[in-house]
Short mmCIF file of all heavy atoms in Angstrom, two decimals:
data_model
loop_
_atom_site.label_atom_id
_atom_site.label_comp_id
_atom_site.label_asym_id
_atom_site.label_seq_id
_atom_site.Cartn_x
_atom_site.Cartn_y
_atom_site.Cartn_z
N PHE A 1 8.76 13.45 2.85
CA PHE A 1 10.07 13.35 2.21
C PHE A 1 10.67 14.76 2.11
O PHE A 1 10.10 15.62 1.43
CB PHE A 1 9.95 12.73 0.82
CG PHE A 1 9.43 11.32 0.84
CD1 PHE A 1 8.07 11.07 0.65
CD2 PHE A 1 10.27 10.25 1.06
CE1 PHE A 1 7.58 9.78 0.66
CE2 PHE A 1 9.79 8.95 1.08
CZ PHE A 1 8.45 8.71 0.88
N PRO A 2 11.78 15.02 2.80
CA PRO A 2 12.40 16.34 2.75
C PRO A 2 12.67 16.79 1.32
O PRO A 2 13.06 15.98 0.48
CB PRO A 2 13.71 16.14 3.52
CG PRO A 2 13.43 15.00 4.45
CD PRO A 2 12.52 14.09 3.67
N GLN A 3 12.41 18.04 1.06
CA GLN A 3 12.62 18.67 -0.25
C GLN A 3 11.64 18.18 -1.32
O GLN A 3 11.75 18.59 -2.48
CB GLN A 3 14.06 18.45 -0.76
CG GLN A 3 15.15 18.74 0.26
CD GLN A 3 15.05 20.13 0.85
OE1 GLN A 3 14.78 21.09 0.13
NE2 GLN A 3 15.24 20.25 2.16
N VAL A 4 10.75 17.28 -0.94
CA VAL A 4 9.79 16.76 -1.92
C VAL A 4 8.36 17.06 -1.48
O VAL A 4 7.58 17.68 -2.21
CB VAL A 4 9.96 15.25 -2.15
CG1 VAL A 4 8.95 14.75 -3.20
CG2 VAL A 4 11.38 14.93 -2.58
N GLY A 5 7.99 16.63 -0.28
CA GLY A 5 6.64 16.91 0.19
C GLY A 5 6.06 15.78 1.03
O GLY A 5 6.76 14.82 1.39
N SER A 6 4.79 15.90 1.34
CA SER A 6 4.06 14.91 2.13
C SER A 6 3.15 14.10 1.22
O SER A 6 2.56 14.64 0.28
CB SER A 6 3.22 15.60 3.22
OG SER A 6 4.03 16.33 4.10
N PHE A 7 3.03 12.82 1.52
CA PHE A 7 2.25 11.91 0.69
C PHE A 7 1.50 10.91 1.55
O PHE A 7 1.95 10.54 2.63
CB PHE A 7 3.18 11.12 -0.26
CG PHE A 7 3.95 11.98 -1.22
CD1 PHE A 7 5.11 12.61 -0.81
CD2 PHE A 7 3.50 12.17 -2.51
CE1 PHE A 7 5.82 13.42 -1.68
CE2 PHE A 7 4.21 12.97 -3.38
CZ PHE A 7 5.37 13.61 -2.97
N VAL A 8 0.34 10.49 1.05
CA VAL A 8 -0.33 9.34 1.66
C VAL A 8 0.59 8.15 1.46
O VAL A 8 1.08 7.90 0.36
CB VAL A 8 -1.69 9.08 0.98
CG1 VAL A 8 -2.34 7.83 1.59
CG2 VAL A 8 -2.61 10.27 1.13
N SER A 9 0.88 7.44 2.54
CA SER A 9 1.77 6.29 2.41
C SER A 9 1.13 5.22 1.54
O SER A 9 -0.09 5.07 1.52
CB SER A 9 2.11 5.72 3.78
OG SER A 9 0.95 5.16 4.38
N ARG A 10 1.97 4.53 0.81
CA ARG A 10 1.45 3.40 0.06
C ARG A 10 1.24 2.22 1.03
O ARG A 10 1.84 2.17 2.10
CB ARG A 10 2.43 3.05 -1.06
CG ARG A 10 2.52 4.21 -2.06
CD ARG A 10 3.23 3.84 -3.33
NE ARG A 10 4.67 3.69 -3.13
CZ ARG A 10 5.52 3.36 -4.11
NH1 ARG A 10 5.06 3.16 -5.34
NH2 ARG A 10 6.80 3.24 -3.87
N VAL A 11 0.35 1.33 0.69
CA VAL A 11 -0.01 0.22 1.58
C VAL A 11 1.21 -0.66 1.80
O VAL A 11 1.84 -1.11 0.85
CB VAL A 11 -1.18 -0.60 1.00
CG1 VAL A 11 -1.49 -1.78 1.91
CG2 VAL A 11 -2.41 0.28 0.81
N ASP A 12 1.54 -0.88 3.04
CA ASP A 12 2.71 -1.66 3.41
C ASP A 12 2.27 -3.08 3.78
O ASP A 12 1.62 -3.28 4.81
CB ASP A 12 3.41 -1.01 4.60
CG ASP A 12 4.73 -1.68 4.95
OD1 ASP A 12 4.91 -2.86 4.59
OD2 ASP A 12 5.57 -1.03 5.60
N PRO A 13 2.61 -4.09 2.96
CA PRO A 13 2.19 -5.46 3.27
C PRO A 13 2.68 -5.95 4.63
O PRO A 13 2.00 -6.76 5.28
CB PRO A 13 2.81 -6.28 2.13
CG PRO A 13 2.93 -5.31 1.00
CD PRO A 13 3.29 -4.01 1.65
N ASP A 14 3.83 -5.47 5.09
CA ASP A 14 4.32 -5.87 6.41
C ASP A 14 3.42 -5.32 7.51
O ASP A 14 3.12 -6.01 8.49
CB ASP A 14 5.75 -5.39 6.62
CG ASP A 14 6.76 -6.14 5.77
OD1 ASP A 14 6.45 -7.27 5.35
OD2 ASP A 14 7.85 -5.60 5.52
N ARG A 15 2.97 -4.08 7.35
CA ARG A 15 2.05 -3.50 8.33
C ARG A 15 0.69 -4.18 8.27
O ARG A 15 0.01 -4.34 9.28
CB ARG A 15 1.91 -2.00 8.11
CG ARG A 15 3.12 -1.17 8.56
CD ARG A 15 2.89 0.30 8.27
NE ARG A 15 3.97 1.14 8.74
CZ ARG A 15 3.98 1.79 9.91
NH1 ARG A 15 2.96 1.67 10.73
NH2 ARG A 15 5.01 2.55 10.26
N VAL A 16 0.28 -4.57 7.07
CA VAL A 16 -0.97 -5.33 6.93
C VAL A 16 -0.86 -6.64 7.71
O VAL A 16 -1.77 -7.01 8.46
CB VAL A 16 -1.27 -5.62 5.44
CG1 VAL A 16 -2.45 -6.59 5.32
CG2 VAL A 16 -1.58 -4.33 4.69
N ALA A 17 0.27 -7.33 7.56
CA ALA A 17 0.46 -8.61 8.25
C ALA A 17 0.50 -8.42 9.77
O ALA A 17 -0.07 -9.23 10.52
CB ALA A 17 1.74 -9.27 7.76
N ASP A 18 1.15 -7.35 10.23
CA ASP A 18 1.21 -7.10 11.67
C ASP A 18 -0.18 -6.83 12.24
O ASP A 18 -0.55 -7.36 13.31
CB ASP A 18 2.11 -5.89 11.96
CG ASP A 18 3.58 -6.19 11.74
OD1 ASP A 18 3.95 -7.37 11.68
OD2 ASP A 18 4.37 -5.22 11.63
N ALA A 19 -0.96 -6.00 11.55
CA ALA A 19 -2.31 -5.69 12.02
C ALA A 19 -3.19 -6.93 11.98
O ALA A 19 -4.02 -7.15 12.87
CB ALA A 19 -2.92 -4.58 11.17
N GLN A 20 -3.00 -7.75 10.94
CA GLN A 20 -3.78 -8.97 10.83
C GLN A 20 -3.45 -9.92 11.98
O GLN A 20 -4.34 -10.57 12.54
CB GLN A 20 -3.49 -9.64 9.49
CG GLN A 20 -4.21 -10.96 9.27
CD GLN A 20 -5.71 -10.79 9.31
OE1 GLN A 20 -6.24 -9.73 9.00
NE2 GLN A 20 -6.42 -11.82 9.71
N PHE A 21 -2.18 -10.00 12.34
CA PHE A 21 -1.75 -10.85 13.46
C PHE A 21 -2.45 -10.41 14.74
O PHE A 21 -2.99 -11.24 15.49
CB PHE A 21 -0.23 -10.76 13.61
CG PHE A 21 0.30 -11.47 14.83
CD1 PHE A 21 0.49 -12.85 14.82
CD2 PHE A 21 0.59 -10.76 15.99
CE1 PHE A 21 0.96 -13.50 15.95
CE2 PHE A 21 1.06 -11.41 17.12
CZ PHE A 21 1.25 -12.78 17.10
N LEU A 22 -2.45 -9.10 14.99
CA LEU A 22 -3.09 -8.58 16.20
C LEU A 22 -4.59 -8.85 16.17
O LEU A 22 -5.16 -9.34 17.16
CB LEU A 22 -2.83 -7.08 16.31
CG LEU A 22 -3.60 -6.35 17.42
CD1 LEU A 22 -3.18 -6.86 18.79
CD2 LEU A 22 -3.37 -4.84 17.32
N ARG A 23 -5.21 -8.55 15.04
CA ARG A 23 -6.66 -8.72 14.96
C ARG A 23 -7.05 -10.19 15.14
O ARG A 23 -7.98 -10.50 15.89
CB ARG A 23 -7.16 -8.21 13.61
CG ARG A 23 -8.66 -8.36 13.47
CD ARG A 23 -9.20 -7.79 12.19
NE ARG A 23 -10.65 -7.82 12.23
CZ ARG A 23 -11.44 -7.42 11.25
NH1 ARG A 23 -10.91 -6.93 10.14
NH2 ARG A 23 -12.75 -7.48 11.38
N GLU A 24 -6.33 -11.07 14.47
CA GLU A 24 -6.66 -12.49 14.58
C GLU A 24 -6.47 -12.99 16.01
O GLU A 24 -7.31 -13.75 16.52
CB GLU A 24 -5.78 -13.29 13.62
CG GLU A 24 -6.12 -14.77 13.56
CD GLU A 24 -5.31 -15.50 12.50
OE1 GLU A 24 -5.26 -15.02 11.35
OE2 GLU A 24 -4.73 -16.55 12.83
N ALA A 25 -5.40 -12.56 16.65
CA ALA A 25 -5.15 -13.00 18.03
C ALA A 25 -6.28 -12.57 18.95
O ALA A 25 -6.77 -13.37 19.78
CB ALA A 25 -3.82 -12.42 18.52
N VAL A 26 -6.73 -11.33 18.82
CA VAL A 26 -7.80 -10.82 19.69
C VAL A 26 -9.12 -11.51 19.40
O VAL A 26 -9.81 -11.98 20.32
CB VAL A 26 -7.94 -9.29 19.51
CG1 VAL A 26 -9.19 -8.77 20.21
CG2 VAL A 26 -6.71 -8.57 20.04
N GLU A 27 -9.49 -11.59 18.13
CA GLU A 27 -10.82 -12.11 17.80
C GLU A 27 -10.93 -13.61 18.05
O GLU A 27 -11.97 -14.10 18.49
CB GLU A 27 -11.17 -11.76 16.35
CG GLU A 27 -11.29 -10.26 16.13
CD GLU A 27 -12.16 -9.90 14.95
OE1 GLU A 27 -13.28 -10.45 14.83
OE2 GLU A 27 -11.71 -9.08 14.13
N LEU A 28 -9.87 -14.36 17.77
CA LEU A 28 -9.93 -15.80 18.04
C LEU A 28 -9.93 -16.08 19.53
O LEU A 28 -10.64 -16.97 20.01
CB LEU A 28 -8.77 -16.53 17.35
CG LEU A 28 -9.09 -17.12 15.97
CD1 LEU A 28 -9.47 -16.02 14.98
CD2 LEU A 28 -7.92 -17.92 15.43
N ALA A 29 -9.14 -15.31 20.29
CA ALA A 29 -9.12 -15.51 21.74
C ALA A 29 -10.48 -15.20 22.35
O ALA A 29 -10.92 -15.88 23.29
CB ALA A 29 -8.04 -14.63 22.37
N SER A 30 -11.14 -14.17 21.83
CA SER A 30 -12.43 -13.79 22.40
C SER A 30 -13.47 -14.89 22.23
O SER A 30 -14.36 -15.06 23.08
CB SER A 30 -12.94 -12.49 21.77
OG SER A 30 -13.42 -12.70 20.45
N LEU A 31 -13.37 -15.65 21.15
CA LEU A 31 -14.33 -16.73 20.94
C LEU A 31 -14.24 -17.80 22.03
O LEU A 31 -15.23 -18.49 22.31
CB LEU A 31 -14.10 -17.37 19.55
CG LEU A 31 -14.43 -16.48 18.35
CD1 LEU A 31 -13.99 -17.15 17.05
CD2 LEU A 31 -15.92 -16.15 18.30
#
């Protein structure tokens, strides 16, 4: 954030859902 600093991002539920979608697609397809 300009003029403020750098921070560890807070957990983004949308990014969690996107990663979950990818992971589920790969792992279920592999079965």
Side-chain angles (χ1 to χ4, degrees):
F1 298 95
Q3 313 305 318
V4 181
S6 299
F7 299 81
V8 177
S9 66
R10 296 192 288 180
V11 178
D12 186 338
D14 289 338
R15 286 179 177 263
V16 171
D18 288 344
Q20 178 60 28
F21 174 80
L22 172 64
R23 181 177 187 182
E24 185 175 311
V26 170
E27 295 204 49
L28 265 62
S30 74
L31 292 173

